[in-house]
Amino acid sequence: MVLWCFMLKCCNTVYCLLCCRCRWLRTLMLNHAVFHTALRRLPPEAVGVVIMHLPVAWRRLQYLAESAQENAVSLMDAVQMYDGKFTQAFPEYAKWRCWT
């Protein structure tokens, strides 16, 4: 019984995380046409990768959208790129991040 309750709690936690990340992704899609188009073209496996990396990549995607550089790098590259490499590619990102 205890194991079942623990598994149920884990499933609810995972479900809540997934819901939150999907809401973030939906907000991104609704507010930015470039990301909307890119996400619609991705296969389901790639969307899963985006959802998995979203907590780390959210600021990068937000920066690209706010600085009108959505087309500067592909969605998957922006999501999977290391922060150091992203900062190297977009030097203003570090300054932007200090203000947010």
Side-chain angles (χ1 to χ4, degrees):
M1 184 69 175
V2 172
L3 181 61
W4 176 253
C5 290
F6 176 74
M7 288 175 53
L8 199 58
K9 184 177 180 180
C10 287
C11 288
N12 283 339
T13 303
V14 171
Y15 176 75
C16 289
L17 285 174
L18 183 62
C19 283
C20 289
R21 291 179 186 184
C22 286
R23 275 190 230 129
W24 285 359
L25 203 55
R26 186 170 189 270
T27 302
L28 184 71
M29 286 180 70
L30 291 174
N31 294 329
H32 306 287
V34 174
F35 291 139
H36 183 265
T37 304
L39 282 165
R40 288 187 61 106
R41 291 183 179 160
L42 290 178
E45 299 84 17
V47 174
V49 170
V50 171
I51 290 171
M52 183 178 71
H53 288 284
L54 201 54
V56 177
W58 179 254
R59 284 184 180 222
R60 285 185 239 140
L61 296 173
Q62 197 175 14
Y63 167 76
L64 291 172
E66 288 182 11
S67 64
Q69 298 184 61
E70 298 105 324
N71 291 321
V73 64
S74 75
L75 177 67
M76 291 305 292
D77 287 342
V79 166
Q80 294 179 320
M81 200 180 287
Y82 291 110
D83 267 342
K85 193 172 180 182
F86 190 84
T87 304
Q88 200 173 26
F90 301 97
E92 294 293 317
Y93 174 65
K95 293 177 188 173
W96 177 87
R97 196 167 176 186
C98 290
W99 289 101
T100 59

